[in-house]
């Protein structure tokens, strides 16, 4: 496919719901009140693991005013289903993490709930617990999840990805010029959407459950409610309200809070709202999986990768939730955009007694890419060549295959020239000159400056055969006003779903952008276009919208109502005439797997994703040897993302993702005490403010993909992957100290710099290379 | 309960509330002005920002007793009839609003900033908005919206009540 000339796609119209947002009129869940609505609250465990021995209610509280729900009130299965059914809706006999829900309360007055929650006293018989990957995998670890006699305890899921001459790895390592090893760790990270999780639920015996609230994936919630209430899908209606940020944090968790609110609604006979405050949201909801990656590489003396053995591990928290799929994406992305003659990646996700970790932008890839990109610099330093050299000698080129065997086309759509991207990024960031200047100035300056980069890719859409399984459906209908209205379950939470899908429909239909409508995601009215995750909306759902629009216009043309060339007025008249003559018109299209996308789930071979976005990110840092604070002072983000549908939204996605990546690297630390997040406040969980961030320079290259509408690919998660390794590479450039664990806070830098015998004014000496 | 008289978006209002009830809750629950949002409840995120006698405050930290006789401007008082205020228009055009939850507070903080510095430099913008957290944008497009607003006539006006 060659680049098409477009008018609406590629321009930057005003965001569809933008006027309501700037006026403050957009209705988020906590802005909505239903008649006779009550408020719900959750009584949670205070220990990481144990048997519940008693529950008592303080007589000072007038309990008759409250509705109280326990596991015994669950009409269906007491489970929140994601991948498996291990995750309880309400704990009854045992708890497996702090802040696990045990009991629910509802009352007409929101203000009385905190005291009531505190007046429910629960005692436990504690059991031994584990809090880290290292503890969970230890031979003498208590079995906290799964079969206690399994060969590997506490293991949620494992993958083994073998690539190239993997069976010859031992011989390759034995014969290699260099063996470079490293260990890399990343911490839990909070999504920190500014709107906390919240749901309002209603129940009626005839209509079943209706919930509305902040969420990414309405049909995930339907699926979860069906089990909890033992109801058919038609009696579990889910409506997404305006959602104040999500980033993965409203992918799986809304199923929990929706089930809780609905249980209270059923028992109380009132609509019930549960909106968490910040402390509860931070303590009880999902975070990014902490990771530990060990990499061993065989390298030739000129810096070519000969073989690799990567052990990628995630801490999944107490229940499986989405850990298997997070692990899958992380495992595949561990290979990075490189040629590996032989590679083994072992991925393992472990159970711990922390609250379940879940989806967060990047979904495992930021963790493994951090490790791989730090390791590429480690190889360079071990061999005495530059980080650029080591990339140049190993980057995938047209005609090469990724570690799963996916071909990078020689030319045309979906190819990429990473050498060119690297050259452009280093040139436009003035990398070489800055590096030389910093090296000259650093010895006499208390501020050590450095520059580093990361080269990486991110797959768009569900991994492997996921899109085939999702089998998404998209519809476009004609409204009574003769306008096309898009019907999808794909949700808007800031990233621009409403806008880009309307642009795609407008471009396809040759109609003005303002003429296109998009329905509120309400599972009673919209089809299941899949979850709004995995950088899939623009590419996968967008392509379906394009096809549905083509089908709609074809119906109007073949029925004789619309000429081949038409104006917006012609369209409206044709639509109204069609509706009058034939009744409603709805064009439906279902996902069709492209013939050349083949994935082998057992062996992790084939087309892992329909397409990848490719990027080179360059970071500049300043490390103050008086305060030991590291600051990112300049950032350059170059990416190839296929056709850019909306330049302002796209740049906004990159800038926002880079900001979260900077937070991941330098600011955001979850402090765990016996599995409880001790810093569950915005006061001491620190995200970057407007005064903390550097200038972020964003540049796009656009090689169209055959898989997306007008050549578009996914970009939502990509910018989360590159900042952390680029920044840590820059810090090593500045300090000559390899830091391999994030978040990297001033106290960590202080410890390493002073432990190495440095004082603030002394020049740093390179650590011995591996 | 205490009787409090104050002026909200130019209109005099009298309410009955416990003296320590937060201004944020009075706005949202008693007056049904839900534009101010609760993000943290402890004055860190700024999504509940309003102008109190022209000063930018976190309404989650203001007991209603302290607002006796005050003039309060919320996001609902920024637009004039159905016409967007220039700051709102600039946020729309520049992509300064993504999920929108911080937007009301951010617009009020911008209003306050431009009162203080009609032509702010980047550092003044960064520091002026540092009390308002945004998780979506990385702030870049917000800075551009503020810069555009500072060049737009009429930015420094708050409309008089209808």
């Amino acid at each position: 496919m060659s680049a098409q000339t477009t008018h609406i796609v590629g321009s930057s119209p005003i965001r569809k719901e933008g006027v309501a947002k700037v006026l403050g009129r957009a209705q988020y869940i906590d802005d909505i009140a239903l008649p006779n609505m009550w408020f719900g609250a959750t009584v949670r465990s205070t220990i990481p693991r144990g048997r519940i021995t008693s529950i008592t209610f303080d007589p000072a509280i007038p309990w008759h005013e409250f509705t109280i729900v326990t596991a015994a009130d669950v009409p269906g299965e007491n489970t929140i289903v994601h991948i498996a059914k291990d995750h309880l809706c309400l704990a009854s006999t045992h708890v497996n993490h702090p802040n696990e829900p045990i009991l629910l309360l509802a009352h007409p007055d929101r203000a009385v709930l905190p005291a009531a929650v505190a007046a429910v006293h629960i005692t436990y018989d504690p059991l031994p617990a584990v809090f880290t990957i290292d503890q969970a995998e230890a031979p003498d670890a208590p079995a906290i999840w799964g079969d206690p006699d399994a060969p590997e305890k506490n293991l949620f899921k494992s993958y083994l990805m073998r690539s190239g001459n993997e069976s010859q790895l031992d011989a390759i390592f034995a014969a290699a010029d260099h063996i470079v090893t490293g260990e890399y760790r990343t911490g839990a990270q909070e999504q920190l959407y500014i709107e906390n999780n919240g749901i309002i639920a209603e129940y009626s015996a005839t209509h079943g459950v209706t919930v509305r609230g902040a969420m990414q994936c309405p049909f995930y919630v339907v699926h979860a409610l069906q089990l909890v209430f033992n109801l058919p899908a038609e009696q579990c209606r889910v409506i997404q309200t305006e959602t104040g940020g999500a980033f993965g944090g409203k992918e799986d968790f809304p199923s929990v809070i929706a089930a809780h609110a609905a249980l209270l609604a059923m028992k109380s006979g009132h609509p019930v709202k549960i909106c968490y405050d910040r402390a509860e949201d931070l303590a009880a909801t999902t975070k990014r999986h902490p990771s530990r990656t060990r990499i061993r590489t065989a390298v030739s003396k000129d810096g070519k990768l000969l073989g690799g053995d990567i052990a990628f591990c995630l801490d999944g928290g107490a229940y499986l939730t989405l850990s298997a799929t997070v692990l899958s994406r992380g495992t595949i992305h561990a290979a990075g955009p490189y040629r590996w003659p032989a590679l083994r990646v072992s991925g393992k996700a472990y159970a711990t007694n922390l609250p379940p970790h879940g989806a967060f932008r990047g979904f495992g890839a930021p963790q493994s890419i951090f490790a791989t990109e730090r390791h590429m610099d480690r190889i360079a330093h071990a061999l005495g060549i530059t980080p650029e050299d080591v990339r140049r000698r190993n980057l995938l080129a047209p005609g090469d295959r990724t570690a799963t065997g996916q071909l990078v086309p020689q030319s045309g759509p979906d190819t990429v020239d990473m050498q060119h991207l690297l050259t452009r990024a280093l040139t436009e960031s003035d990398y070489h000159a800055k590096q030389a200047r910093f090296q000259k100035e650093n010895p006499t300056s208390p501020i050590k400056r450095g520059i580093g980069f990361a080269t990486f890719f991110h797959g768009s859409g569900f991994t492997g055969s996921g899109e085939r399984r999702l089998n998404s459906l998209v519809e476009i209908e004609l409204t009574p006003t003769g306008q096309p209205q898009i019907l999808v379950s794909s949700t808007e939470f800031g990233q621009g779903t409403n806008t880009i899908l309307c642009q795609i429909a407008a471009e396809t239909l040759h109609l003005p952008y303002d003429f296109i409508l998009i329905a509120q995601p309400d599972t009673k009215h919209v089809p299941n276009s899949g979850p709004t995750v995995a950088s899939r909306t623009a590419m996968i759902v967008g392509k379906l919208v394009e096809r549905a629009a083509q089908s709609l216009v074809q119906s109007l043309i073949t029925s004789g109502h619309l000429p081949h060339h038409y104006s917006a007025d012609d369209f409206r008249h044709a639509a109204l005439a069609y509706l009058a003559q034939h009744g409603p018109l709805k064009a439906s299209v279902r996902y069709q797997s492209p013939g050349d996308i083949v994935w082998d789930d057992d062996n992790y071979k084939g087309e892992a994703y329909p397409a990848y976005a490719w990027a080179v990110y360059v970071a500049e840092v300043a490390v103050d040897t008086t305060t030991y604070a590291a600051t990112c002072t300049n950032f350059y983000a170059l990416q190839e993302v296929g056709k850019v549908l909306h330049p302002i939204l796209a740049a906004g996605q990159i800038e926002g993702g880079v900001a979260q990546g900077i937070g991941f690297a330098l600011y955001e630390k979850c402090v765990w005490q016996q599995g409880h997040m001790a810093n569950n406040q915005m006061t001491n969980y620190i995200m970057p403010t407007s005064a903390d961030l550097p200038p972020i320079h964003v540049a796009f290259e656009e090689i169209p993909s055959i898989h997306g509408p007008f050549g578009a690919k996914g970009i939502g998660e990509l910018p989360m992957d590159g900042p952390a390794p680029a920044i840590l590479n820059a810090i090593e450039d500045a300090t000559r100290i390899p830091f391999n664990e994030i978040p990297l806070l001033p106290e960590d830098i202080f410890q390493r710099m002073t432990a190495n015998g440095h004082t603030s004014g002394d020049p740093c000496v390179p650590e011995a290379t591996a | 309960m205490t009787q409090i008289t104050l002026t909200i978006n130019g209109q005099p209002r009298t309410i009955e509330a416990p003296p320590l009830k937060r201004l944020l809750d009075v706005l949202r629950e008693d007056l049904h002005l839900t534009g101010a949002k609760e993000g943290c409840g402890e004055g860190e995120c700024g999504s509940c920002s309003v102008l109190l006698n022209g000063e930018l405050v976190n309404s989650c930290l203001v007991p209603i007793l302290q607002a006796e006789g005050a003039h309060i401007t919320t996001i609902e008082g920024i637009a004039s009839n159905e016409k967007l205020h220039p700051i709102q228009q600039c946020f729309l055009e520049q992509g300064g609003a993504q999920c929108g939850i911080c937007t009301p507070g951010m617009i009020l903080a911008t209003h306050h900033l431009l009162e203080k510095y009609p032509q702010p430099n980047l550092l003044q913008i960064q520091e002026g908005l540092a009390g308002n957290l945004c998780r979506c944008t990385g702030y870049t497009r917000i800075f551009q919206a503020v810069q555009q607003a500072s060049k737009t006539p009429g930015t420094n006006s708050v409309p008089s009540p209808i």
Side-chain angles (χ1 to χ4, degrees):
Chain A
M1 190 184 76
S2 60
Q4 293 168 255
T5 306
T6 59
H7 302 285
I8 299 166
V9 159
S11 71
S12 291
I14 297 294
R15 139 187 311 278
K16 274 281 167 185
E17 73 294 349
V19 170
K21 284 177 172 174
V22 299
L23 284 169
R25 291 181 192 164
Q27 294 277 294
Y28 301 82
I29 190 64
D30 204 19
D31 303 333
I32 296 167
L34 299 184
N36 302 312
M37 187 175 78
W38 285 24
F39 298 88
T42 311
V43 180
R44 300 177 178 282
S45 60
T46 50
I47 67 161
R49 182 165 177 251
R51 192 172 62 84
I52 298 171
T53 50
S54 73
I55 300 177
T56 51
F57 294 82
D58 190 324
I61 302 286
W63 292 109
H64 64 277
E65 295 175 5
F66 290 77
T67 292
I68 302 172
V69 161
T70 69
D73 294 303
V74 175
E77 291 187 53
N78 182 24
T79 183
I80 303 295
V81 65
H82 306 287
I83 294 169
K85 292 183 177 176
D86 62 327
H87 189 193
L88 297 180
C89 177
L90 289 168
S92 55
T93 60
H94 289 76
V95 298
N96 288 305
H97 65 85
N99 300 301
E100 183 162 5
I102 298 172
L103 205 122
L104 306 168
L105 305 177
H107 191 278
D109 181 0
R110 196 176 200 166
V112 305
L113 283 163
V117 167
V120 181
H121 304 298
I122 303 176
T123 58
Y124 307 88
D125 184 6
L127 290 165
V130 297
F131 303 109
T132 63
I133 293 165
D134 299 358
Q135 290 171 7
E137 70 178 357
D140 59 347
I144 63 152
W145 188 90
D147 178 2
D149 298 321
E152 287 189 81
K153 267 183 289 192
N154 304 324
L155 187 64
F156 279 140
K157 182 71 183 176
S158 66
Y159 294 105
L160 188 60
M161 185 170 94
R162 296 172 163 147
S163 185
N165 296 320
E166 184 268 348
S167 60
Q168 305 297 311
L169 267 179
D170 287 349
I172 290 168
F173 276 103
D177 297 327
H178 298 274
I179 294 174
V180 182
T181 59
E183 181 178 298
Y184 310 90
R185 290 175 188 260
T186 63
Q189 186 187 17
E190 164 60 32
Q191 296 88 356
L192 215 70
Y193 31 73
I194 306 295
E195 179 207 28
N196 292 310
N197 268 289
I199 292 282
I200 298 174
E202 300 168 86
Y203 179 86
S204 89
T206 44
H207 296 107
V209 176
T210 301
V211 306
R212 62 197 83 212
M215 67 184 74
Q216 294 175 238
C217 313
F219 281 95
Y220 280 9
V221 180
V222 170
H223 189 41
L225 291 171
Q226 277 183 261
L227 245 78
V228 171
F229 287 88
N230 191 25
L231 285 172
E234 311 80 73
Q235 292 204 39
C236 298
R237 180 180 178 188
V238 177
I239 303 162
Q240 185 230 7
T241 50
E242 199 70 69
T243 297
F247 315 112
K250 293 170 185 171
E251 175 172 348
D252 46 327
F253 198 84
S255 297
V256 176
I257 188 169
H260 289 172
L263 287 168
L264 285 169
M266 184 177 73
K267 193 161 180 182
S268 69
H270 292 270
V272 173
K273 176 192 275 189
I274 301 181
C275 286
Y276 292 166
D277 65 11
R278 183 61 59 182
E280 184 172 22
D281 197 290
L282 282 169
T285 75
T286 59
K287 312 266 177 287
R288 183 186 301 289
H289 290 67
S291 76
R292 183 195 71 196
T293 309
R294 291 176 175 149
I295 306 183
R296 187 164 172 258
T297 43
V299 189
S300 74
K301 59 179 178 294
D302 62 349
K304 277 212 173 94
L305 294 169
L306 303 173
D309 191 354
I310 302 177
F312 173 61
C313 295
L314 294 176
D315 167 356
Y319 298 108
L320 178 61
T321 62
L322 298 172
S323 289
T325 45
V326 173
L327 180 69
S328 166
R329 186 174 280 266
T331 300
I332 291 168
H333 284 78
Y338 303 112
R339 266 191 308 270
W340 293 91
L343 178 66
R344 178 189 302 142
V345 185
S346 144
K348 292 182 179 176
Y350 288 99
T352 65
N353 297 108
L354 268 54
H357 296 303
F360 188 168
R361 195 178 203 167
F363 211 67
Q367 291 96 314
S368 61
I369 289 172
F370 171 74
T372 301
E373 284 307 295
R374 281 296 294 136
H375 193 77
M376 295 305 278
D377 269 36
R378 191 175 186 86
I379 291 171
H381 298 313
L383 271 60
I385 60 178
T386 66
E388 180 184 354
D389 288 337
V390 84
R391 266 56 167 217
R392 294 237 181 248
R393 286 165 201 174
N394 295 289
L395 281 170
L396 287 169
D400 285 339
R401 287 182 184 273
T402 67
T404 65
Q406 187 164 351
L407 181 70
V408 179
Q410 276 289 357
S411 59
D414 290 299
T415 190
V416 71
D417 183 350
M418 282 298 280
Q419 297 284 347
H420 157 71
L421 284 184
L422 180 55
T423 301
R424 182 177 166 192
L426 297 184
T427 304
E428 291 185 10
S429 62
D430 203 15
Y431 172 86
H432 293 107
K434 281 177 179 164
Q435 190 174 48
R437 180 158 61 84
F438 297 155
Q439 283 178 5
K440 192 164 157 237
E441 292 170 355
N442 279 346
T444 55
S445 170
I447 309 285
K448 312 293 181 195
R449 294 183 187 277
I451 188 164
F453 66 94
T455 49
F456 58 102
F457 62 6
H458 194 98
S460 307
F462 259 45
T463 301
S465 38
E467 289 299 340
R468 202 170 301 156
R469 281 198 299 273
L470 284 176
N471 200 21
S472 298
L473 186 66
V474 162
E475 295 170 344
I476 302 183
E477 66 178 3
L478 290 177
T479 65
T481 57
Q483 288 174 272
Q485 172 156 268
I486 300 167
L487 302 172
V488 288
S489 63
S490 307
T491 49
E492 170 69 53
F493 38 89
Q495 80 288 39
T497 298
N498 290 346
T499 304
I500 61 166
L501 295 183
C502 288
Q503 282 180 279
I504 291 163
E507 186 76 52
T508 308
L509 293 166
H510 307 293
L511 291 172
Y513 166 77
D514 290 337
F515 194 66
I516 312 294
L517 306 173
I518 185 163
Q520 180 179 31
D522 174 343
T523 59
K524 192 175 174 188
H525 300 298
V526 301
N528 188 351
S529 61
T532 311
V533 302
S535 307
R536 67 183 293 277
T537 303
M539 188 175 76
I540 305 283
V541 182
K543 188 75 185 173
L544 294 174
V545 167
E546 182 187 11
R547 285 176 44 213
Q550 288 164 349
S551 166
L552 183 80
V553 82
Q554 206 53 46
S555 299
L556 291 174
I557 290 172
T558 51
S559 63
H561 292 284
L562 190 66
H564 279 276
H565 296 280
Y566 56 86
S567 66
D569 274 349
D570 295 338
F571 185 94
R572 189 195 290 270
H573 287 131
L576 293 173
Y578 184 101
L579 292 171
Q581 196 173 331
H582 305 285
L585 176 60
K586 196 185 266 187
S588 298
V589 296
R590 196 172 276 287
Y591 178 74
Q592 287 172 346
S593 179
D596 56 346
I597 301 284
V598 178
W599 178 248
D600 173 352
D601 252 333
D602 296 327
N603 295 304
Y604 261 52
K605 287 258 179 299
E607 276 64 40
Y609 302 96
Y612 287 89
W614 309 79
V616 181
Y617 282 9
V618 186
E620 288 172 46
V621 300
V623 182
D624 186 328
T625 56
T626 308
T627 63
Y628 297 96
T631 313
C632 183
T633 54
N634 205 355
F635 202 92
Y636 185 86
L638 171 65
Q639 46 261 305
E640 192 292 300
V641 297
K643 175 71 179 174
V644 173
L645 296 170
H646 187 299
I648 285 182
L649 287 180
Q653 282 294 292
I654 304 302
E655 290 150 0
V658 167
Q660 290 180 352
I662 292 171
F664 184 41
L666 295 178
Y667 295 93
E668 300 180 31
K669 181 170 188 161
C670 294
V671 178
W672 300 107
Q673 287 176 356
Q674 293 289 301
H676 171 76
M677 185 185 179
N679 57 332
N680 60 330
Q681 293 174 275
M682 279 190 171
T683 308
N684 44 20
Y685 181 88
I686 304 299
M687 65 161 269
T689 73
S690 56
D692 298 320
L693 289 172
I696 301 167
H697 310 276
V698 177
F700 292 108
E701 299 219 346
E702 300 176 72
I703 298 171
S705 169
I706 57 169
H707 300 290
F710 304 95
K713 299 191 284 195
I715 63 166
E717 295 172 291
L718 177 80
M720 191 71 223
D721 296 338
I727 288 166
L728 277 268
N729 288 345
I731 290 174
E732 182 167 7
D733 186 54
T735 62
R736 305 292 164 199
I737 300 176
F739 293 96
N740 291 320
E741 186 167 347
I742 52 171
L744 182 68
L745 302 184
E747 49 265 41
D748 307 312
I749 298 175
F750 167 78
Q751 202 170 31
R752 280 288 289 281
M753 286 187 127
T754 51
N756 280 12
H758 302 145
T759 57
S760 57
D762 287 343
C764 303
V765 285
E767 188 187 70
T769 44
Chain B
M1 299 292 262
T2 308
Q3 186 172 309
I4 304 283
T5 303
L6 69 178
T7 306
I8 308 273
N9 298 327
Q11 294 192 321
R13 304 293 294 256
T14 300
I15 51 132
E16 291 269 329
L20 292 181
K21 188 166 184 176
R22 305 181 305 175
L23 172 59
L24 174 62
D25 298 328
V26 170
L27 291 172
R28 291 178 56 85
E29 294 169 8
D30 299 53
L31 300 170
H32 307 293
L33 296 169
T34 57
K37 311 297 181 188
E38 174 167 345
C40 68
E42 55 180 354
E44 286 290 329
C45 75
S47 55
C48 65
S49 298
V50 300
L51 299 173
L52 187 149
N53 295 331
E55 287 301 316
L56 187 71
V57 298
N58 290 308
S59 62
C60 73
L61 296 183
V62 178
I64 192 62
L65 192 65
Q66 286 184 5
E68 170 65 40
H71 286 257
I72 310 280
T73 303
T74 71
I75 188 68
E76 289 88 350
I78 291 291
S80 169
N81 294 330
E82 287 307 300
K83 188 167 161 34
L84 296 183
H85 187 278
I87 296 172
Q88 292 170 317
Q89 188 64 35
C90 294
F91 268 70
L92 256 192
E93 290 172 6
Q94 297 292 326
Q98 287 193 19
C99 84
I101 195 84
C102 76
T103 306
M106 202 64 88
I107 286 172
L108 287 161
T110 301
H111 195 283
H112 182 251
L113 172 75
L114 294 178
E115 289 269 305
K116 203 165 157 190
Y117 305 109
Q119 302 292 324
N121 61 34
L122 184 60
L123 191 64
Q124 287 165 334
I125 297 173
Q126 286 185 285
E127 300 204 333
L129 301 182
N132 291 73
L133 297 178
C134 170
R135 190 58 155 173
C136 294
T137 62
Y139 307 102
T140 308
R141 313 253 132 214
I142 291 174
F143 299 159
Q144 290 169 359
V146 176
Q147 281 162 338
Q148 189 195 343
S150 73
K151 296 173 191 136
T152 307
T155 285
N156 284 333
S157 66
V158 175
S160 45
I162 305 151

